[in-house]
Amino acid sequence: MTDTNSPQNLRDRLVDRIVKERIAGLYDPRVEAATRAVPRHDFIPKASLELAYANQAVSIKDNPDPDALPLSCASQPDVVFFMLAQLDIRPGHNILEAGAGTGYNAALMQHLTGPAGKVTTLDVHEDVVTHARQRLTAAGFGDVRVLARDAALGAPEFAPYDRIIATVGVWDLPATWWDQLPVGGRLVLPLRWRGLTRSVAFVREADHLRSESLATCGFLPMIGQDGEREGYVDERRLVKLYWDADQPMQPTNLRTSLTDAQAHVAWTDVSVAPDEPLDGIWLRLSATDSATCRITVQPAAFADGTGLHRPAIPALTPALVEGDSLAYLSLEPIGQEGNRRYRFGAAGYGPAAEVLAERLTTQLRAWDTGRGIQPSITAYRADAPDDQLAQGHVIDKPSVRLVITY
């Protein structure tokens, strides 16, 4: 009699689901085979088998601050899958991983690169390194190098690498990684900008990195990168703004605009089905408007109908902010039950509310005409002159210049 709840059966069902959904169309049969072969539960022994083979992240190192994100976790399995598909590992590859986590991802990569290849994984937390090393050895992957160090430094003593992957959110691309990745090498990382995160597969060219694929993801941020800002707009701490260091934003400048004025709401003919993803809108805004950021709004700020206009996704909504004015994405139901859709608009506040709402709705319409279109992202070193950059919207960070092009 077959045990339907055996680790192998649970693992196969999880992989079947991941393969069927095929996020962003990303798939590699070798990654499928590796995911079926490597036991995830061995790397998170405190989790139940059901949790180990659920499609969700599992925390392995809590944050002493109860209101903060955990310090380390086992990534969601479908994200692990599509990032490895992006990485395109071949037998014999030399691979560097930033963020050791449980060691599970390193085990998958060692399985893919085989005995002729090598995997080196880095983590800044000594206890995470100890856990990963122990679990890898116990699972038969003791050849993986597990080093305790700042992942932004890389591991130059074992470079060059055919592949580099980051399993932590990266806001600024470390210059050391450029030096350890030769032309033709591939870098996959959860890149953070303007409040959003995308897993970007870059291919190294002589003087730049060019993107080959993008997929939505969410990761804990890399420790030591101080480029993201956040702050509450209101005294009740119900509305929070998230922006980047290069953006001249001050959340308290918006306080009067949000509390003393009615919203200027501009609706469009753009609509979506209830289960249709909205992330492409935010991506297009970030590629066209330097005022793009993110807000979160607690339900108490709009629940009684006398406060703010409800954002599209209260926990994660794109916005445009300039000075004491902002506009953010909103939506409302249209159509009948059984054929319900949601149309998009923008809610604006402050002296420039109408202008910002118009800019946002303009990009909504642009997104609507090509919903499946993904931008290209080109990364240059920070000292690259303007005349050597690709055409597109430029975002400057301390170590990298990003150009986003539609």
Side-chain angles (χ1 to χ4, degrees):
M1 181 179 231
T2 302
D3 181 0
T4 58
N5 290 320
S6 69
Q8 186 64 62
N9 282 326
L10 291 171
R11 187 156 63 250
D12 283 338
R13 288 204 294 270
L14 172 63
V15 177
D16 289 345
R17 173 184 168 187
I18 292 171
V19 171
K20 181 179 179 181
E21 292 179 353
R22 207 167 287 203
I23 294 175
L26 294 165
Y27 173 74
D28 184 332
R30 296 164 300 159
V31 175
E32 178 182 348
T35 309
R36 293 189 189 278
V38 177
R40 186 175 189 247
H41 67 280
D42 282 353
F43 294 86
I44 42 177
K46 292 183 179 180
S48 66
L49 280 176
E50 289 74 17
L51 180 58
Y53 293 110
N55 191 29
Q56 67 183 69
V58 178
S59 173
I60 63 166
K61 181 176 175 63
D62 293 329
N63 198 310
D65 180 354
D67 296 323
L69 294 169
L71 295 174
S72 186
C73 68
S75 300
Q76 191 165 304
D78 59 355
V79 175
V80 171
F81 189 101
F82 74 65
M83 288 183 70
L84 290 179
Q86 287 180 297
L87 198 59
D88 190 29
I89 296 172
R90 302 289 171 169
H93 272 168
N94 187 28
I95 305 167
L96 177 68
E97 179 185 36
T102 64
Y104 173 64
N105 201 59
L108 290 168
M109 292 191 294
Q110 188 64 64
H111 182 97
L112 287 162
T113 193
K118 192 69 177 181
V119 175
T120 302
T121 185
L122 314 175
D123 205 286
V124 71
H125 298 291
E126 292 276 1
D127 53 345
V128 171
V129 166
T130 298
H131 172 93
R133 186 179 292 124
Q134 290 174 344
R135 302 321 305 171
L136 282 161
T137 299
F141 296 95
D143 287 343
V144 174
R145 298 188 192 100
V146 189
L147 307 178
R149 69 174 62 170
D150 182 352
L153 300 175
E157 64 269 38
F158 304 117
Y161 297 100
D162 302 288
R163 300 289 187 264
I164 299 177
I165 185 170
T167 53
V168 289
V170 178
W171 182 80
D172 189 20
L173 208 162
T176 51
W177 294 359
W178 290 81
D179 299 331
Q180 296 170 36
L181 186 71
V183 171
R186 186 176 290 255
L187 167 65
V188 173
L189 74 166
L191 189 61
R192 299 165 69 96
W193 74 96
R194 303 305 188 238
L196 58 85
T197 305
R198 291 293 181 275
S199 176
V200 183
F202 283 115
V203 176
R204 174 73 194 274
E205 305 287 357
D207 64 348
H208 65 273
L209 301 166
R210 61 172 175 81
S211 68
E212 194 171 81
S213 64
L214 286 78
T216 303
C217 65
F219 274 85
L220 303 175
M222 178 182 281
I223 293 173
Q225 294 198 336
D226 186 29
E228 295 174 284
R229 306 285 185 263
E230 60 184 67
Y232 288 100
V233 172
D234 61 321
E235 293 180 350
R236 293 195 297 163
R237 299 166 73 88
L238 298 176
V239 182
K240 197 172 188 180
L241 182 70
Y242 298 81
W243 71 103
D244 288 342
D246 64 302
Q247 297 177 294
M249 296 183 185
Q250 177 52 253
T252 54
N253 289 346
L254 300 168
R255 186 166 296 173
T256 300
S257 297
L258 289 185
T259 56
D260 295 347
Q262 292 294 313
H264 171 85
V265 183
W267 293 108
T268 72
D269 293 328
V270 180
S271 66
V272 291
D275 58 349
E276 194 170 347
L278 317 181
D279 53 282
I281 298 169
W282 197 341
L283 187 57
R284 181 170 282 275
L285 279 172
S286 79
T288 55
D289 201 313
S290 59
T292 302
C293 57
R294 169 165 64 105
I295 62 165
T296 60
V297 181
Q298 297 294 323
F302 59 81
D304 60 3
T306 62
L308 291 181
H309 191 86
R310 189 184 189 280
I313 307 172
L316 198 72
T317 294
L320 301 179
V321 170
E322 284 185 350
D324 57 357
S325 302
L326 89 159
Y328 53 80
L329 187 68
S330 187
L331 50 77
E332 67 174 4
I334 57 174
Q336 303 297 319
E337 290 294 338
N339 190 30
R340 178 62 54 88
R341 292 184 66 83
Y342 293 85
R343 72 164 176 164
F344 285 116
Y349 292 85
E354 186 172 354
V355 172
L356 291 179
E358 177 60 28
R359 278 161 48 182
L360 201 158
T361 55
T362 295
Q363 295 309 317
L364 277 171
R365 296 184 184 97
W367 169 79
D368 188 41
T369 61
R371 298 191 183 195
I373 298 174
Q374 290 274 22
S376 64
I377 301 179
T378 313
Y380 299 85
R381 293 181 187 266
D383 58 358
D386 290 347
D387 61 3
Q388 292 183 12
L389 303 184
Q391 293 295 313
H393 184 74
V394 181
I395 297 177
D396 283 315
K397 303 192 178 194
S399 300
V400 69
R401 307 191 74 184
L402 299 176
V403 182
I404 310 176
T405 308
Y406 270 93

